Amino acid sequence: MKIYTKTGDAGETGLFGGGRVPKDDERVDAYGEVDELNATLGLARSLSMPADLDGLLQQLQDQLFTVGAVLATPQGTKAAAHIPHIKPEWVEAMEKAIDGFETELPTMTHFILPGGSQASSALHLSRTVCRRAERRVVPLLREGKVSHDVGVFLNRLSDLLFVMARVANHRVGVPDVKWIPEKPGK
Amino acid sequence: MKIYTKTGDAGETGLFGGGRVPKDDERVDAYGEVDELNATLGLARSLSMPADLDGLLQQLQDQLFTVGAVLATPQGTKAAAHIPHIKPEWVEAMEKAIDGFETELPTMTHFILPGGSQASSALHLSRTVCRRAERRVVPLLREGKVSHDVGVFLNRLSDLLFVMARVANHRVGVPDVKWIPEKPGK
Amino acid sequence: MKIYTKTGDAGETGLFGGGRVPKDDERVDAYGEVDELNATLGLARSLSMPADLDGLLQQLQDQLFTVGAVLATPQGTKAAAHIPHIKPEWVEAMEKAIDGFETELPTMTHFILPGGSQASSALHLSRTVCRRAERRVVPLLREGKVSHDVGVFLNRLSDLLFVMARVANHRVGVPDVKWIPEKPGK
Ligand code: B12
Ligand code: B12
Ligand code: B12
Ligand SMILES: C[C@H]1O[C@@H](n2cnc3c(N)ncnc32)[C@H](O)[C@@H]1O
Ligand SMILES: C[C@H]1O[C@@H](n2cnc3c(N)ncnc32)[C@H](O)[C@@H]1O
Ligand SMILES: C[C@H]1O[C@@H](n2cnc3c(N)ncnc32)[C@H](O)[C@@H]1O
Ligand SMILES: [Mg+2]
Ligand SMILES: [Mg+2]
Ligand SMILES: [Mg+2]
């Protein structure tokens, strides 16, 4: 089978299990954004990422393919019985990771300018793309077309990526720069 | 307060001042894109950016948090009195910066292929994400839900980023490659 | 002519040939995303890209400006006679390139985690942005507002970028990591 099947040339494509939809369908848009998020994690990992963060990111990339499969498979179809599902343990593990990383870090009281080391900067980019993916999942959640787990997973992931971005700077001694809002009327 | 509050797990979230909206609300979408733009600026700054450009980018990152606050705060609410605002001087300073940088550069007569040095390439990426953010702000502008200043700020910023991308190449002797459109019918 | 014309400050802009539209118009959105795709290709090229891939990417960047011109020009206008068009040879050349690169590579049987070398990671990012651009073009295709060629071009390009991402890893001996889905019910 060639990788280019040409079947999508006219703007339609297939979900898992077979239904055909336009490529701007909400489902396709949602897993397309998750794919982009996954690509930004790959990019982050290529930019001198500390080994423990790198290992965790690889796990998260793997889990995102399950998220993608869930998004690509309409509920109640035969295909739905053949895909893996998001495990509650994954979310718990993210929460533990956040708690653990935060012990390394000074308490946050202000927004910080995203940036610093290349690894940290790329994680901030992933964080924002994760949040974009979450926004695209919201219509599916609202219409009951996708499991609540997807929303939880992405919501927690963006917070984990924030903390990992801070750790990536802190470990190399790069201070985060705070945003100090000016008093209005000044 | 933990960073993961879980209150957004079901796809709703809070604006500044308190109103709750779905995460695919136009306002949330708009400041989410501004956050992504800010992250791309952080990435650009991590890629051997000349010091004067770097300093300017840090200022712009800071200003973008004011843009974000303006987008996150419905007009006419109590909260609106507590946020900073976009200053006309910021836009004027961008215009001066564009004019200044252009004196360093050969006059433009053609589109250029985005790319060259890492710093320049990342600035082109920021330029295009800035324009995406601008597109997401447009519905809010049209409906009168956000100050005109936000549109002006982002419109000028994308032009500044274009000129900075060119400067980043020019300073290291990397020539920009022109797009020479073929005559139609060829 | 200054680069900042300020004519777009209120959220409207011009197409090629002159019609004025809001910046969140489907056409503007589509060529804006193609511009972003083009910027990610520039970034990929700045990250130690093998010379043959780099040359091919430059050609593709050039061709994307023709795609952009096609998207920016309403059909049937006077302006439409003055722009270059997407050539069938370009798509054929992409298909030949895919076939050629695949001879270098082990056969694919599983999804792979996007990532590896910086060049490969960046190409995966371009791949996903290409697919996002394709999704934004779909409404225009459906409404018959843009040539079918644009859909074909972007569909093939994302497959080419996938294969190039794999080649970029394979050439430097970085193995792609497979996603092995867990059996459901586990
Ligand atoms: C949803 C989907 C996606 C989504 C989400 C997937 C996810 N789980 O996160 C995303 C957007 C990521 C995606 C991307 C791509 N996909 Co896809 N995808 C699908 C789809 C619709 C379902 C796959 C799935 O998740 N199944 C659920 C799992 C649990 O079931 P599974 O059957 O065991 O899935 C296995 C196979 O599909 C196989 N497989 C998966 N991908 C590929 C790719 C190749 C080249 C091969 C040989 C096999 C293979 O590995 C999977 C895991 O073991 C299938 C078509 C279909 N209806 O089945 C296409 C399909 C697998 N994709 C395809 C392609 C070409 C791609 C891309 C290369 C497109 C591109 N240019 O970017 C990328 C590759 C990304 C990567 N990192 O490897 C082709 C593969 C053609 C081929 N055999 O050569 C298929 C068959 C669609 C088609 N008819 O064109 N995809
Ligand atoms: C709008 C908004 C955003 C927007 C835009 C902000 C902007 N101005 O550009 C964006 C999208 C950037 C954003 C991002 C994030 N945000 Co936010 N954001 C808000 C919101 C709704 C308003 C903030 C604001 O702009 N206020 C206007 C300014 C002028 O008022 P202010 O009160 O002085 O704002 C100060 C505090 O909010 C504080 N602060 C701000 N951020 C954080 C983060 C932490 C961890 C802490 C401790 C304090 C803190 O610093 C601000 C400046 O002095 C608040 C919730 C709320 N309703 O207040 C959440 C809120 C501040 N954000 C929160 C979080 C978790 C984040 C993210 C980490 C999410 C993520 N995973 O990406 C990032 C951090 C980004 C960064 N670079 O630091 C949490 C903080 C929870 C906590 N105390 O630990 C809040 C309280 C929402 C919540 N209930 O969950 N956010
Ligand atoms: C569509 C469009 C785009 C699209 C798609 C273009 C494509 N083909 O892919 C995208 C989104 C990429 C784009 C980006 C930009 N654009 Co534009 N774009 C246009 C538009 C509407 C049509 C251009 C076109 O494709 N014509 C079709 C080709 C075949 O016809 P052409 O007439 O031969 O096009 C030539 C000229 O336009 C010239 N040219 C093109 N760009 C520029 C930029 C400068 C600074 C100069 C001096 C000349 C110039 O070179 C082209 C090729 O020879 C024109 C306005 C208009 N109505 O003509 C603006 C226009 C050319 N763009 C403009 C600007 C400022 C930009 C950006 C710098 C904006 C930004 N901040 O990102 C970037 C530059 C990108 C780059 N890599 O160089 C300005 C240039 C102002 C000036 N003379 O200084 C124009 C005139 C709009 C305006 N009135 O403000 N653009
Ligand atoms: C930190 C703040 O970011 C906003 N918020 C919550 N989720 C998202 C998302 N997916 N995208 C953009 N903004 C979001 C809310 O306003 C929250 O309070
Ligand atoms: C240079 C050209 O880019 C288009 N243009 C103006 N603003 C945006 C934006 N935010 N996103 C995409 N395209 C835009 C207009 O067509 C302008 O003429
Ligand atoms: C590999 C799978 O990706 C999906 N697909 C096809 N085109 C796009 C696109 N532009 N964006 C996101 N997903 C897409 C289809 O479901 C296809 O089967
Ligand atoms: Mg959240
Ligand atoms: Mg503009
Ligand atoms: Mg395709």
mmCIF file of all heavy atoms in Angstrom, chain B residues 143-172:
data_model
loop_
_atom_site.group_PDB
_atom_site.id
_atom_site.type_symbol
_atom_site.label_atom_id
_atom_site.label_comp_id
_atom_site.label_asym_id
_atom_site.label_seq_id
_atom_site.Cartn_x
_atom_site.Cartn_y
_atom_site.Cartn_z
ATOM 1 N N GLU B 143 -17.551 42.718 16.566
ATOM 2 C CA GLU B 143 -18.696 42.763 17.478
ATOM 3 C C GLU B 143 -18.503 43.819 18.564
ATOM 4 O O GLU B 143 -19.304 43.887 19.497
ATOM 5 C CB GLU B 143 -18.898 41.367 18.107
ATOM 6 C CG GLU B 143 -19.205 40.286 17.072
ATOM 7 C CD GLU B 143 -18.830 38.864 17.529
ATOM 8 O OE1 GLU B 143 -18.608 38.670 18.747
ATOM 9 O OE2 GLU B 143 -18.746 37.966 16.672
ATOM 10 N N GLY B 144 -17.435 44.605 18.465
ATOM 11 C CA GLY B 144 -17.216 45.669 19.450
ATOM 12 C C GLY B 144 -16.908 45.148 20.840
ATOM 13 O O GLY B 144 -17.120 45.844 21.836
ATOM 14 N N LYS B 145 -16.407 43.940 20.946
ATOM 15 C CA LYS B 145 -16.174 43.342 22.257
ATOM 16 C C LYS B 145 -14.775 43.589 22.785
ATOM 17 O O LYS B 145 -14.442 43.203 23.905
ATOM 18 C CB LYS B 145 -16.401 41.823 22.189
ATOM 19 C CG LYS B 145 -17.864 41.444 22.026
ATOM 20 C CD LYS B 145 -18.054 39.945 22.209
ATOM 21 C CE LYS B 145 -19.470 39.521 21.854
ATOM 22 N NZ LYS B 145 -19.540 38.089 21.515
ATOM 23 N N VAL B 146 -13.942 44.193 21.955
ATOM 24 C CA VAL B 146 -12.579 44.420 22.388
ATOM 25 C C VAL B 146 -12.065 45.698 21.748
ATOM 26 O O VAL B 146 -12.501 46.081 20.655
ATOM 27 C CB VAL B 146 -11.710 43.179 22.041
ATOM 28 C CG1 VAL B 146 -11.097 43.294 20.669
ATOM 29 C CG2 VAL B 146 -10.653 42.946 23.087
ATOM 30 N N SER B 147 -11.164 46.372 22.453
ATOM 31 C CA SER B 147 -10.655 47.643 21.957
ATOM 32 C C SER B 147 -9.948 47.489 20.616
ATOM 33 O O SER B 147 -9.200 46.535 20.384
ATOM 34 C CB SER B 147 -9.678 48.218 22.973
ATOM 35 O OG SER B 147 -8.872 49.195 22.366
ATOM 36 N N HIS B 148 -10.170 48.458 19.757
ATOM 37 C CA HIS B 148 -9.517 48.610 18.462
ATOM 38 C C HIS B 148 -7.987 48.505 18.577
ATOM 39 O O HIS B 148 -7.300 48.034 17.663
ATOM 40 C CB HIS B 148 -9.938 50.004 17.942
ATOM 41 C CG HIS B 148 -9.418 50.383 16.599
ATOM 42 N ND1 HIS B 148 -8.502 51.398 16.427
ATOM 43 C CD2 HIS B 148 -9.684 49.908 15.374
ATOM 44 C CE1 HIS B 148 -8.240 51.534 15.127
ATOM 45 N NE2 HIS B 148 -8.947 50.640 14.464
ATOM 46 N N ASP B 149 -7.462 48.905 19.727
ATOM 47 C CA ASP B 149 -6.004 48.886 19.949
ATOM 48 C C ASP B 149 -5.393 47.511 19.742
ATOM 49 O O ASP B 149 -4.224 47.387 19.361
ATOM 50 C CB ASP B 149 -5.655 49.263 21.401
ATOM 51 C CG ASP B 149 -6.177 50.625 21.779
ATOM 52 O OD1 ASP B 149 -6.467 51.420 20.874
ATOM 53 O OD2 ASP B 149 -6.298 50.890 23.004
ATOM 54 N N VAL B 150 -6.161 46.472 20.079
ATOM 55 C CA VAL B 150 -5.618 45.123 19.961
ATOM 56 C C VAL B 150 -5.327 44.799 18.494
ATOM 57 O O VAL B 150 -4.273 44.250 18.162
ATOM 58 C CB VAL B 150 -6.592 44.080 20.561
ATOM 59 C CG1 VAL B 150 -6.077 42.669 20.342
ATOM 60 C CG2 VAL B 150 -6.807 44.340 22.051
ATOM 61 N N GLY B 151 -6.240 45.191 17.625
ATOM 62 C CA GLY B 151 -6.040 44.966 16.187
ATOM 63 C C GLY B 151 -4.840 45.736 15.663
ATOM 64 O O GLY B 151 -4.029 45.210 14.893
ATOM 65 N N VAL B 152 -4.740 46.982 16.079
ATOM 66 C CA VAL B 152 -3.613 47.813 15.635
ATOM 67 C C VAL B 152 -2.291 47.204 16.114
ATOM 68 O O VAL B 152 -1.333 47.081 15.343
ATOM 69 C CB VAL B 152 -3.747 49.259 16.175
ATOM 70 C CG1 VAL B 152 -2.542 50.101 15.757
ATOM 71 C CG2 VAL B 152 -5.049 49.896 15.681
ATOM 72 N N PHE B 153 -2.263 46.813 17.381
ATOM 73 C CA PHE B 153 -1.028 46.263 17.954
ATOM 74 C C PHE B 153 -0.555 45.035 17.168
ATOM 75 O O PHE B 153 0.613 44.952 16.765
ATOM 76 C CB PHE B 153 -1.259 45.886 19.427
ATOM 77 C CG PHE B 153 0.004 45.457 20.131
ATOM 78 C CD1 PHE B 153 0.783 46.369 20.822
ATOM 79 C CD2 PHE B 153 0.440 44.134 20.073
ATOM 80 C CE1 PHE B 153 1.965 45.980 21.455
ATOM 81 C CE2 PHE B 153 1.616 43.729 20.701
ATOM 82 C CZ PHE B 153 2.376 44.656 21.390
ATOM 83 N N LEU B 154 -1.457 44.105 16.926
ATOM 84 C CA LEU B 154 -1.048 42.868 16.250
ATOM 85 C C LEU B 154 -0.711 43.113 14.786
ATOM 86 O O LEU B 154 0.205 42.494 14.228
ATOM 87 C CB LEU B 154 -2.142 41.795 16.378
ATOM 88 C CG LEU B 154 -2.377 41.288 17.812
ATOM 89 C CD1 LEU B 154 -3.585 40.352 17.844
ATOM 90 C CD2 LEU B 154 -1.139 40.573 18.361
ATOM 91 N N ASN B 155 -1.435 44.028 14.151
ATOM 92 C CA ASN B 155 -1.150 44.331 12.742
ATOM 93 C C ASN B 155 0.257 44.913 12.614
ATOM 94 O O ASN B 155 1.044 44.483 11.764
ATOM 95 C CB ASN B 155 -2.195 45.307 12.191
ATOM 96 C CG ASN B 155 -2.145 45.414 10.672
ATOM 97 O OD1 ASN B 155 -1.594 44.532 10.002
ATOM 98 N ND2 ASN B 155 -2.702 46.482 10.126
ATOM 99 N N ARG B 156 0.593 45.836 13.495
ATOM 100 C CA ARG B 156 1.934 46.432 13.411
ATOM 101 C C ARG B 156 3.013 45.433 13.808
ATOM 102 O O ARG B 156 4.088 45.375 13.230
ATOM 103 C CB ARG B 156 2.012 47.672 14.322
ATOM 104 C CG ARG B 156 2.913 48.744 13.785
ATOM 105 C CD ARG B 156 2.429 49.347 12.451
ATOM 106 N NE ARG B 156 1.436 50.384 12.640
ATOM 107 C CZ ARG B 156 0.126 50.211 12.415
ATOM 108 N NH1 ARG B 156 -0.361 49.071 11.982
ATOM 109 N NH2 ARG B 156 -0.701 51.204 12.589
ATOM 110 N N LEU B 157 2.697 44.610 14.802
ATOM 111 C CA LEU B 157 3.686 43.643 15.274
ATOM 112 C C LEU B 157 4.098 42.683 14.158
ATOM 113 O O LEU B 157 5.282 42.361 14.020
ATOM 114 C CB LEU B 157 3.128 42.861 16.477
ATOM 115 C CG LEU B 157 4.045 41.778 17.053
ATOM 116 C CD1 LEU B 157 5.416 42.330 17.434
ATOM 117 C CD2 LEU B 157 3.388 41.100 18.268
ATOM 118 N N SER B 158 3.161 42.234 13.344
ATOM 119 C CA SER B 158 3.555 41.274 12.298
ATOM 120 C C SER B 158 4.471 41.924 11.269
ATOM 121 O O SER B 158 5.359 41.273 10.715
ATOM 122 C CB SER B 158 2.339 40.620 11.634
ATOM 123 O OG SER B 158 1.614 41.550 10.863
ATOM 124 N N ASP B 159 4.272 43.224 11.027
ATOM 125 C CA ASP B 159 5.187 43.901 10.100
ATOM 126 C C ASP B 159 6.570 44.078 10.742
ATOM 127 O O ASP B 159 7.598 43.911 10.079
ATOM 128 C CB ASP B 159 4.605 45.260 9.665
ATOM 129 C CG ASP B 159 3.412 45.088 8.713
ATOM 130 O OD1 ASP B 159 3.285 44.008 8.089
ATOM 131 O OD2 ASP B 159 2.608 46.030 8.591
ATOM 132 N N LEU B 160 6.572 44.394 12.026
ATOM 133 C CA LEU B 160 7.859 44.507 12.725
ATOM 134 C C LEU B 160 8.603 43.170 12.699
ATOM 135 O O LEU B 160 9.816 43.119 12.449
ATOM 136 C CB LEU B 160 7.616 44.964 14.172
ATOM 137 C CG LEU B 160 8.841 44.998 15.092
ATOM 138 C CD1 LEU B 160 9.969 45.848 14.518
ATOM 139 C CD2 LEU B 160 8.445 45.525 16.485
ATOM 140 N N LEU B 161 7.890 42.085 12.931
ATOM 141 C CA LEU B 161 8.540 40.767 12.944
ATOM 142 C C LEU B 161 9.099 40.425 11.564
ATOM 143 O O LEU B 161 10.147 39.789 11.451
ATOM 144 C CB LEU B 161 7.553 39.694 13.421
ATOM 145 C CG LEU B 161 7.183 39.805 14.908
ATOM 146 C CD1 LEU B 161 6.021 38.869 15.239
ATOM 147 C CD2 LEU B 161 8.387 39.505 15.808
ATOM 148 N N PHE B 162 8.411 40.862 10.518
ATOM 149 C CA PHE B 162 8.916 40.633 9.160
ATOM 150 C C PHE B 162 10.265 41.341 8.987
ATOM 151 O O PHE B 162 11.244 40.745 8.519
ATOM 152 C CB PHE B 162 7.907 41.165 8.132
ATOM 153 C CG PHE B 162 8.367 41.014 6.700
ATOM 154 C CD1 PHE B 162 8.455 39.763 6.122
ATOM 155 C CD2 PHE B 162 8.697 42.131 5.927
ATOM 156 C CE1 PHE B 162 8.880 39.607 4.801
ATOM 157 C CE2 PHE B 162 9.127 41.988 4.613
ATOM 158 C CZ PHE B 162 9.212 40.719 4.050
ATOM 159 N N VAL B 163 10.312 42.594 9.399
ATOM 160 C CA VAL B 163 11.539 43.369 9.237
ATOM 161 C C VAL B 163 12.652 42.812 10.132
ATOM 162 O O VAL B 163 13.817 42.714 9.711
ATOM 163 C CB VAL B 163 11.260 44.861 9.516
ATOM 164 C CG1 VAL B 163 12.533 45.667 9.466
ATOM 165 C CG2 VAL B 163 10.265 45.399 8.484
ATOM 166 N N MET B 164 12.297 42.392 11.333
ATOM 167 C CA MET B 164 13.308 41.804 12.222
ATOM 168 C C MET B 164 13.844 40.483 11.649
ATOM 169 O O MET B 164 15.039 40.180 11.791
ATOM 170 C CB MET B 164 12.728 41.572 13.625
ATOM 171 C CG MET B 164 12.482 42.882 14.373
ATOM 172 S SD MET B 164 11.582 42.643 15.948
ATOM 173 C CE MET B 164 12.937 42.135 17.023
ATOM 174 N N ALA B 165 12.979 39.726 11.014
ATOM 175 C CA ALA B 165 13.436 38.477 10.392
ATOM 176 C C ALA B 165 14.449 38.785 9.288
ATOM 177 O O ALA B 165 15.478 38.105 9.155
ATOM 178 C CB ALA B 165 12.245 37.700 9.805
ATOM 179 N N ARG B 166 14.174 39.839 8.537
ATOM 180 C CA ARG B 166 15.120 40.212 7.481
ATOM 181 C C ARG B 166 16.442 40.696 8.082
ATOM 182 O O ARG B 166 17.527 40.373 7.588
ATOM 183 C CB ARG B 166 14.521 41.284 6.569
ATOM 184 C CG ARG B 166 13.345 40.753 5.738
ATOM 185 C CD ARG B 166 12.807 41.840 4.800
ATOM 186 N NE ARG B 166 13.835 42.258 3.846
ATOM 187 C CZ ARG B 166 13.968 43.489 3.367
ATOM 188 N NH1 ARG B 166 13.137 44.449 3.749
ATOM 189 N NH2 ARG B 166 14.930 43.769 2.510
ATOM 190 N N VAL B 167 16.355 41.497 9.135
ATOM 191 C CA VAL B 167 17.566 41.996 9.785
ATOM 192 C C VAL B 167 18.403 40.832 10.318
ATOM 193 O O VAL B 167 19.634 40.816 10.185
ATOM 194 C CB VAL B 167 17.209 42.969 10.931
ATOM 195 C CG1 VAL B 167 18.410 43.236 11.832
ATOM 196 C CG2 VAL B 167 16.692 44.294 10.353
ATOM 197 N N ALA B 168 17.730 39.865 10.926
ATOM 198 C CA ALA B 168 18.460 38.733 11.522
ATOM 199 C C ALA B 168 19.267 37.997 10.450
ATOM 200 O O ALA B 168 20.382 37.526 10.719
ATOM 201 C CB ALA B 168 17.497 37.785 12.227
ATOM 202 N N ASN B 169 18.753 37.903 9.257
ATOM 203 C CA ASN B 169 19.535 37.305 8.163
ATOM 204 C C ASN B 169 20.635 38.236 7.673
ATOM 205 O O ASN B 169 21.787 37.836 7.497
ATOM 206 C CB ASN B 169 18.626 36.956 6.970
ATOM 207 C CG ASN B 169 18.003 35.575 7.096
ATOM 208 O OD1 ASN B 169 18.497 34.725 7.838
ATOM 209 N ND2 ASN B 169 16.923 35.352 6.361
ATOM 210 N N HIS B 170 20.261 39.480 7.451
ATOM 211 C CA HIS B 170 21.183 40.444 6.845
ATOM 212 C C HIS B 170 22.437 40.621 7.700
ATOM 213 O O HIS B 170 23.564 40.671 7.183
ATOM 214 C CB HIS B 170 20.454 41.785 6.666
ATOM 215 C CG HIS B 170 21.130 42.708 5.715
ATOM 216 N ND1 HIS B 170 21.787 43.845 6.136
ATOM 217 C CD2 HIS B 170 21.276 42.658 4.376
ATOM 218 C CE1 HIS B 170 22.287 44.470 5.081
ATOM 219 N NE2 HIS B 170 21.996 43.775 3.994
ATOM 220 N N ARG B 171 22.253 40.677 9.009
ATOM 221 C CA ARG B 171 23.383 40.876 9.920
ATOM 222 C C ARG B 171 24.400 39.741 9.854
ATOM 223 O O ARG B 171 25.564 39.927 10.183
ATOM 224 C CB ARG B 171 22.866 40.948 11.365
ATOM 225 C CG ARG B 171 21.973 42.140 11.636
ATOM 226 C CD ARG B 171 22.677 43.177 12.457
ATOM 227 N NE ARG B 171 21.744 44.225 12.842
ATOM 228 C CZ ARG B 171 21.148 44.314 14.037
ATOM 229 N NH1 ARG B 171 21.411 43.425 14.992
ATOM 230 N NH2 ARG B 171 20.320 45.295 14.300
ATOM 231 N N VAL B 172 23.939 38.530 9.524
ATOM 232 C CA VAL B 172 24.888 37.420 9.449
ATOM 233 C C VAL B 172 25.209 37.068 8.001
ATOM 234 O O VAL B 172 25.788 36.016 7.701
ATOM 235 C CB VAL B 172 24.369 36.159 10.210
ATOM 236 C CG1 VAL B 172 24.304 36.445 11.712
ATOM 237 C CG2 VAL B 172 23.013 35.695 9.700
#
